[in-house]
mmCIF file of all heavy atoms in Angstrom:
data_model
loop_
_atom_site.group_PDB
_atom_site.id
_atom_site.type_symbol
_atom_site.label_atom_id
_atom_site.label_comp_id
_atom_site.label_asym_id
_atom_site.label_seq_id
_atom_site.Cartn_x
_atom_site.Cartn_y
_atom_site.Cartn_z
ATOM 1 N N GLU A 25 121.580 -7.349 190.750
ATOM 2 C CA GLU A 25 122.707 -7.298 189.842
ATOM 3 C C GLU A 25 123.403 -5.976 190.001
ATOM 4 O O GLU A 25 122.822 -4.944 190.378
ATOM 5 C CB GLU A 25 122.213 -7.516 188.439
ATOM 6 C CG GLU A 25 121.640 -8.912 188.159
ATOM 7 C CD GLU A 25 121.261 -9.070 186.701
ATOM 8 O OE1 GLU A 25 121.305 -8.073 185.920
ATOM 9 O OE2 GLU A 25 120.965 -10.213 186.346
ATOM 10 N N ARG A 26 124.709 -5.984 189.630
ATOM 11 C CA ARG A 26 125.460 -4.759 189.622
ATOM 12 C C ARG A 26 124.992 -3.891 188.493
ATOM 13 O O ARG A 26 124.722 -4.328 187.382
ATOM 14 C CB ARG A 26 126.947 -5.073 189.441
ATOM 15 C CG ARG A 26 127.888 -3.939 189.672
ATOM 16 C CD ARG A 26 129.336 -4.392 189.722
ATOM 17 N NE ARG A 26 129.545 -5.358 190.820
ATOM 18 C CZ ARG A 26 130.742 -5.840 191.120
ATOM 19 N NH1 ARG A 26 131.835 -5.465 190.444
ATOM 20 N NH2 ARG A 26 130.845 -6.712 192.103
ATOM 21 N N GLU A 27 124.833 -2.606 188.810
ATOM 22 C CA GLU A 27 124.299 -1.632 187.821
ATOM 23 C C GLU A 27 125.182 -0.403 187.707
ATOM 24 O O GLU A 27 125.850 0.028 188.665
ATOM 25 C CB GLU A 27 122.865 -1.215 188.204
ATOM 26 C CG GLU A 27 122.798 -0.431 189.506
ATOM 27 C CD GLU A 27 121.390 0.108 189.791
ATOM 28 O OE1 GLU A 27 120.561 0.057 188.908
ATOM 29 O OE2 GLU A 27 121.193 0.562 190.965
ATOM 30 N N GLY A 28 125.220 0.134 186.495
ATOM 31 C CA GLY A 28 125.958 1.361 186.218
ATOM 32 C C GLY A 28 125.295 2.557 186.888
ATOM 33 O O GLY A 28 124.070 2.686 186.887
ATOM 34 N N VAL A 29 126.107 3.441 187.443
ATOM 35 C CA VAL A 29 125.645 4.664 188.094
ATOM 36 C C VAL A 29 126.035 5.902 187.302
ATOM 37 O O VAL A 29 125.228 6.771 186.988
ATOM 38 C CB VAL A 29 126.149 4.752 189.527
ATOM 39 C CG1 VAL A 29 125.728 6.071 190.156
ATOM 40 C CG2 VAL A 29 125.659 3.579 190.358
ATOM 41 N N SER A 30 127.306 6.007 187.016
ATOM 42 C CA SER A 30 127.832 7.185 186.340
ATOM 43 C C SER A 30 129.187 6.889 185.749
ATOM 44 O O SER A 30 129.875 5.962 186.166
ATOM 45 C CB SER A 30 127.926 8.345 187.323
ATOM 46 O OG SER A 30 128.350 9.560 186.703
ATOM 47 N N SER A 31 129.624 7.701 184.771
ATOM 48 C CA SER A 31 130.946 7.536 184.186
ATOM 49 C C SER A 31 131.468 8.890 183.752
ATOM 50 O O SER A 31 130.696 9.845 183.527
ATOM 51 C CB SER A 31 130.937 6.583 183.020
ATOM 52 O OG SER A 31 130.158 7.069 181.925
ATOM 53 N N ILE A 32 132.783 8.952 183.593
ATOM 54 C CA ILE A 32 133.428 10.184 183.129
ATOM 55 C C ILE A 32 134.638 9.862 182.295
ATOM 56 O O ILE A 32 135.364 8.867 182.632
ATOM 57 C CB ILE A 32 133.803 11.097 184.341
ATOM 58 C CG1 ILE A 32 134.312 12.455 183.832
ATOM 59 C CG2 ILE A 32 134.822 10.414 185.207
ATOM 60 C CD1 ILE A 32 134.473 13.502 184.945
ATOM 61 N N SER A 33 134.924 10.604 181.306
ATOM 62 C CA SER A 33 136.091 10.483 180.463
ATOM 63 C C SER A 33 137.061 11.622 180.811
ATOM 64 O O SER A 33 136.664 12.780 180.725
ATOM 65 C CB SER A 33 135.744 10.564 178.993
ATOM 66 O OG SER A 33 136.947 10.691 178.204
ATOM 67 N N SER A 34 138.305 11.262 181.217
ATOM 68 C CA SER A 34 139.253 12.268 181.569
ATOM 69 C C SER A 34 139.734 13.097 180.351
ATOM 70 O O SER A 34 140.041 14.248 180.496
ATOM 71 C CB SER A 34 140.486 11.665 182.214
ATOM 72 O OG SER A 34 140.140 11.015 183.456
ATOM 73 N N SER A 35 139.722 12.443 179.182
ATOM 74 C CA SER A 35 140.254 13.082 177.980
ATOM 75 C C SER A 35 139.334 14.153 177.460
ATOM 76 O O SER A 35 139.786 15.213 177.006
ATOM 77 C CB SER A 35 140.574 12.064 176.905
ATOM 78 O OG SER A 35 139.368 11.356 176.531
ATOM 79 N N ASP A 36 137.992 13.949 177.467
ATOM 80 C CA ASP A 36 137.071 14.942 176.910
ATOM 81 C C ASP A 36 136.053 15.489 177.910
ATOM 82 O O ASP A 36 135.324 16.392 177.617
ATOM 83 C CB ASP A 36 136.332 14.375 175.683
ATOM 84 C CG ASP A 36 135.458 13.200 175.998
ATOM 85 O OD1 ASP A 36 135.140 12.954 177.186
ATOM 86 O OD2 ASP A 36 135.025 12.541 175.028
ATOM 87 N N GLY A 37 136.064 14.945 179.134
ATOM 88 C CA GLY A 37 135.260 15.460 180.210
ATOM 89 C C GLY A 37 133.796 15.090 180.153
ATOM 90 O O GLY A 37 133.011 15.563 181.000
ATOM 91 N N ARG A 38 133.422 14.254 179.222
ATOM 92 C CA ARG A 38 132.004 13.908 179.111
ATOM 93 C C ARG A 38 131.592 12.970 180.224
ATOM 94 O O ARG A 38 132.363 12.155 180.722
ATOM 95 C CB ARG A 38 131.735 13.209 177.753
ATOM 96 C CG ARG A 38 131.794 14.119 176.534
ATOM 97 C CD ARG A 38 131.322 13.463 175.314
ATOM 98 N NE ARG A 38 132.149 12.301 174.935
ATOM 99 C CZ ARG A 38 131.852 11.470 173.926
ATOM 100 N NH1 ARG A 38 130.790 11.678 173.154
ATOM 101 N NH2 ARG A 38 132.696 10.527 173.646
ATOM 102 N N THR A 39 130.353 13.159 180.685
ATOM 103 C CA THR A 39 129.838 12.418 181.803
ATOM 104 C C THR A 39 128.473 11.779 181.399
ATOM 105 O O THR A 39 127.794 12.248 180.523
ATOM 106 C CB THR A 39 129.585 13.296 183.031
ATOM 107 O OG1 THR A 39 128.725 14.360 182.729
ATOM 108 C CG2 THR A 39 130.860 13.911 183.511
ATOM 109 N N SER A 40 128.158 10.705 182.117
ATOM 110 C CA SER A 40 126.929 10.019 181.921
ATOM 111 C C SER A 40 126.362 9.595 183.222
ATOM 112 O O SER A 40 127.124 9.308 184.175
ATOM 113 C CB SER A 40 127.091 8.761 180.983
ATOM 114 O OG SER A 40 127.538 9.119 179.707
ATOM 115 N N TYR A 41 125.037 9.498 183.325
ATOM 116 C CA TYR A 41 124.393 9.153 184.573
ATOM 117 C C TYR A 41 123.237 8.204 184.297
ATOM 118 O O TYR A 41 122.536 8.332 183.304
ATOM 119 C CB TYR A 41 123.836 10.382 185.297
ATOM 120 C CG TYR A 41 124.867 11.384 185.693
ATOM 121 C CD1 TYR A 41 125.213 12.409 184.876
ATOM 122 C CD2 TYR A 41 125.529 11.253 186.970
ATOM 123 C CE1 TYR A 41 126.209 13.331 185.255
ATOM 124 C CE2 TYR A 41 126.508 12.188 187.338
ATOM 125 C CZ TYR A 41 126.815 13.194 186.462
ATOM 126 O OH TYR A 41 127.796 14.082 186.870
ATOM 127 N N ALA A 42 123.029 7.281 185.204
ATOM 128 C CA ALA A 42 121.835 6.472 185.173
ATOM 129 C C ALA A 42 120.591 7.366 185.518
ATOM 130 O O ALA A 42 120.757 8.306 186.303
ATOM 131 C CB ALA A 42 121.937 5.328 186.183
ATOM 132 N N ASP A 43 119.464 7.015 184.972
ATOM 133 C CA ASP A 43 118.273 7.848 185.247
ATOM 134 C C ASP A 43 117.937 7.934 186.712
ATOM 135 O O ASP A 43 117.421 8.967 187.158
ATOM 136 C CB ASP A 43 117.068 7.266 184.490
ATOM 137 C CG ASP A 43 117.152 7.489 182.996
ATOM 138 O OD1 ASP A 43 117.956 8.334 182.536
ATOM 139 O OD2 ASP A 43 116.449 6.735 182.244
ATOM 140 N N SER A 44 118.219 6.907 187.430
ATOM 141 C CA SER A 44 117.910 6.859 188.874
ATOM 142 C C SER A 44 118.678 7.840 189.688
ATOM 143 O O SER A 44 118.255 8.159 190.826
ATOM 144 C CB SER A 44 118.070 5.453 189.384
ATOM 145 O OG SER A 44 119.427 5.046 189.264
ATOM 146 N N VAL A 45 119.780 8.375 189.194
ATOM 147 C CA VAL A 45 120.618 9.276 190.013
ATOM 148 C C VAL A 45 120.757 10.658 189.372
ATOM 149 O O VAL A 45 121.378 11.539 189.989
ATOM 150 C CB VAL A 45 121.995 8.708 190.279
ATOM 151 C CG1 VAL A 45 121.885 7.313 190.898
ATOM 152 C CG2 VAL A 45 122.864 8.647 188.962
ATOM 153 N N LYS A 46 120.192 10.886 188.211
ATOM 154 C CA LYS A 46 120.297 12.172 187.538
ATOM 155 C C LYS A 46 119.712 13.293 188.435
ATOM 156 O O LYS A 46 118.640 13.131 188.981
ATOM 157 C CB LYS A 46 119.632 12.191 186.213
ATOM 158 C CG LYS A 46 120.336 11.399 185.118
ATOM 159 C CD LYS A 46 119.622 11.468 183.785
ATOM 160 C CE LYS A 46 120.379 10.723 182.735
ATOM 161 N NZ LYS A 46 119.629 10.703 181.427
ATOM 162 N N GLY A 47 120.431 14.384 188.556
ATOM 163 C CA GLY A 47 119.977 15.480 189.396
ATOM 164 C C GLY A 47 120.381 15.371 190.829
ATOM 165 O O GLY A 47 120.276 16.335 191.583
ATOM 166 N N ARG A 48 120.865 14.185 191.224
ATOM 167 C CA ARG A 48 121.276 13.992 192.623
ATOM 168 C C ARG A 48 122.787 13.703 192.769
ATOM 169 O O ARG A 48 123.397 14.118 193.716
ATOM 170 C CB ARG A 48 120.525 12.840 193.255
ATOM 171 C CG ARG A 48 119.009 13.036 193.315
ATOM 172 C CD ARG A 48 118.271 11.972 194.083
ATOM 173 N NE ARG A 48 118.461 10.632 193.522
ATOM 174 C CZ ARG A 48 119.036 9.630 194.152
ATOM 175 N NH1 ARG A 48 119.480 9.770 195.418
ATOM 176 N NH2 ARG A 48 119.153 8.424 193.586
ATOM 177 N N PHE A 49 123.338 12.978 191.801
ATOM 178 C CA PHE A 49 124.720 12.610 191.834
ATOM 179 C C PHE A 49 125.538 13.402 190.815
ATOM 180 O O PHE A 49 125.013 13.692 189.706
ATOM 181 C CB PHE A 49 124.891 11.105 191.521
ATOM 182 C CG PHE A 49 124.360 10.149 192.609
ATOM 183 C CD1 PHE A 49 123.646 10.605 193.646
ATOM 184 C CD2 PHE A 49 124.678 8.844 192.503
ATOM 185 C CE1 PHE A 49 123.147 9.714 194.597
ATOM 186 C CE2 PHE A 49 124.253 7.928 193.445
ATOM 187 C CZ PHE A 49 123.476 8.376 194.517
ATOM 188 N N THR A 50 126.750 13.669 191.156
ATOM 189 C CA THR A 50 127.613 14.401 190.239
ATOM 190 C C THR A 50 128.997 13.715 190.235
ATOM 191 O O THR A 50 129.592 13.520 191.259
ATOM 192 C CB THR A 50 127.823 15.874 190.636
ATOM 193 O OG1 THR A 50 126.553 16.552 190.649
ATOM 194 C CG2 THR A 50 128.730 16.604 189.599
ATOM 195 N N ILE A 51 129.441 13.371 189.046
ATOM 196 C CA ILE A 51 130.787 12.748 188.903
ATOM 197 C C ILE A 51 131.795 13.877 188.424
ATOM 198 O O ILE A 51 131.421 14.755 187.670
ATOM 199 C CB ILE A 51 130.773 11.591 187.912
ATOM 200 C CG1 ILE A 51 132.045 10.807 187.995
ATOM 201 C CG2 ILE A 51 130.485 12.043 186.503
ATOM 202 C CD1 ILE A 51 132.022 9.452 187.267
ATOM 203 N N SER A 52 133.003 13.757 188.918
ATOM 204 C CA SER A 52 134.046 14.724 188.547
ATOM 205 C C SER A 52 135.386 14.007 188.641
ATOM 206 O O SER A 52 135.516 12.939 189.225
ATOM 207 C CB SER A 52 134.018 15.936 189.459
ATOM 208 O OG SER A 52 134.287 15.586 190.839
ATOM 209 N N SER A 53 136.377 14.665 188.022
ATOM 210 C CA SER A 53 137.726 14.080 187.938
ATOM 211 C C SER A 53 138.781 15.096 188.267
ATOM 212 O O SER A 53 138.728 16.249 187.820
ATOM 213 C CB SER A 53 137.943 13.495 186.578
ATOM 214 O OG SER A 53 139.264 12.942 186.431
ATOM 215 N N ASP A 54 139.780 14.746 189.068
ATOM 216 C CA ASP A 54 140.953 15.536 189.314
ATOM 217 C C ASP A 54 142.106 14.733 188.666
ATOM 218 O O ASP A 54 142.661 13.868 189.304
ATOM 219 C CB ASP A 54 141.167 15.717 190.819
ATOM 220 C CG ASP A 54 142.300 16.640 191.125
ATOM 221 O OD1 ASP A 54 143.153 16.819 190.238
ATOM 222 O OD2 ASP A 54 142.356 17.184 192.251
ATOM 223 N N ASN A 55 142.452 15.141 187.463
ATOM 224 C CA ASN A 55 143.467 14.391 186.754
ATOM 225 C C ASN A 55 144.851 14.445 187.397
ATOM 226 O O ASN A 55 145.648 13.511 187.270
ATOM 227 C CB ASN A 55 143.552 14.878 185.297
ATOM 228 C CG ASN A 55 142.332 14.539 184.485
ATOM 229 O OD1 ASN A 55 141.377 13.871 184.990
ATOM 230 N ND2 ASN A 55 142.325 14.903 183.183
#
């Protein structure tokens, strides 16, 4: 099944990560 990996909000900059990728993946945004 499709699973969530990471997310980011452009308005407040908050990020979230799945446990399986924490410490290895980094999400960022160039608005």
Side-chain angles (χ1 to χ4, degrees):
E25 295 184 351
R26 193 170 298 185
E27 64 176 348
V29 176
S30 184
S31 66
I32 187 168
S33 168
S34 296
S35 61
D36 63 15
R38 290 190 295 174
T39 60
S40 297
Y41 298 91
D43 288 342
S44 60
V45 306
K46 285 181 179 178
R48 299 189 298 120
F49 292 9
T50 302
I51 192 169
S52 62
S53 178
D54 185 340
N55 290 0

